[in-house]
Every structure is written in structure tokens, then in C-alpha cells.
Amino acid sequence: MGYLALGIRCLIGAVFLASSVGKVTGHGAFDRFVSSVEGMRVLPARSARPVARCVVAAEFTVWAALAVPVTAVAVLGFVVAGGLLAVFATGILLSLRQGVRAACRCFGVTASPLGVRHVVRNLVLTALAITGAVAVPTAGGTTAGGAAVAVIGGLLAGGLVAALDDILDLFRPTGPLPEPALKS
């Protein structure tokens, strides 16, 4: 269980690190995030900025807690992560049910519209956070090599989750293909 706990810790930590930093880095990043929260239409417009501040603070708390090598702090990080992710999935689902396709500013820069894949992603991450919260206290000993594989695997998986919208956008059609030139 030690390797599983370590890998999930790195995966969830990387996702929340990318998410929190992406929302506050760069000119206007936080304001774009506030606009996307408001655009989801699940909260009163006046609540968007305070809620966005709370979300970013909680996201910073998650990855910082998961970086601390103390079992109780890591469990707290996983519990906060699981709660946030469940709330995110619920908010996105409510927004989609209203027919709203607000921009996903989950990681700050991506403007892909929210969709079912975001709900699924957050539910999978919620399950992983719960698994991590259970696995950390029961984690056994690890070897340096196994720990390195778990850390690298978790970080790579977390980076993939954070970049998934951008990766999927690479394969999305941008418009009609140009007509082939006729040879005379």
C-alpha cells in the first residue's frame, strides 16, 4: 500500500498544484477564473469572487498538505481534495443540466467548455483521493527504487490530468477542410 499511497499523493498533489498556480499566475488569470465560476450559473453572481478565492486557497492547502510527510496532514489533504472534487463535479453537473457551457478554467489557461468529461475526471479524482486517505495510514515500508517509480508515475499522471483538455483540443476539428485545388 505504500507505493499506491505515494503515487496517489503525487498525482493529486500535482493536479492541485497545477490548478491553483494556473488560476493565479499571469495577467488576469484569477479574473478569468472568477468569470468562469460566475458563468456556470450555479451561484449568485456576487458570490463568484469570494467562492473563487476559497477554491484557490483550498487548492493550495491540498497540495501543501500532501507534500508534508506526516500521515495526519496527508489524510487531511486527501479529505479536502475529495470534498473539493465532489463539489466541483456537482457544480459542473448542475451547470450542464442548465445547458450552460462555461469555459473550464480548472487549470487557469484552458478555455475548453465544461462537459461530461470534466464531471467524470472529478469523480475519478474523488475516488483516488478517498483511496489515498485510506491508503496513507496503512502504508507500509518502501524501497528507494519503488518509491521513485511511484513518485514519477504519480507526477506524470497528475501532469497528464492537468493537460488533458489541451491534449484533447489538439485532436478537435477547427473548421471545414479547405477545398483541394483543381488542376487545369
Side-chain angles (χ1 to χ4, degrees):
M1 278 281 230
Y3 300 118
L4 176 67
L6 191 55
I8 294 173
R9 198 173 186 159
C10 290
L11 185 155
I12 298 289
V15 167
F16 277 90
L17 175 64
S19 181
S20 60
V21 171
K23 289 175 180 137
V24 297
T25 303
H27 182 68
F30 184 73
D31 288 335
R32 285 188 296 275
F33 175 58
V34 170
S35 294
S36 72
V37 170
E38 187 176 337
M40 291 175 68
R41 296 190 217 149
V42 294
L43 299 167
R46 68 184 180 283
S47 300
R49 187 165 295 276
V51 166
R53 283 188 188 118
C54 290
V55 166
V56 171
E59 288 178 342
F60 271 97
T61 301
V62 167
W63 66 259
L66 294 176
V68 174
V70 176
T71 300
V73 176
V75 169
L76 175 66
F78 279 127
V79 168
V80 172
L84 276 172
L85 290 160
V87 167
F88 295 163
T90 303
I92 294 167
L93 190 59
L94 290 172
S95 184
L96 293 175
R97 282 191 160 176
Q98 295 178 46
V100 175
R101 299 282 297 191
C104 172
R105 298 289 183 184
C106 307
F107 296 98
V109 295
T110 302
S112 296
L114 289 169
V116 173
R117 75 175 181 271
H118 296 98
V119 175
V120 171
R121 176 191 66 202
N122 286 325
L123 291 175
V124 169
L125 289 172
T126 301
L128 286 171
I130 292 167
T131 303
V134 171
V136 165
T138 61
T142 58
T143 63
V149 170
V151 166
I152 291 168
L155 292 174
L156 287 173
L160 180 62
V161 168
L164 190 58
D165 279 343
D166 293 330
I167 293 168
L168 291 175
D169 282 346
L170 293 173
F171 299 99
R172 194 164 283 126
T174 58
L177 294 174
E179 294 288 327
L182 298 175
K183 294 185 180 184
S184 331

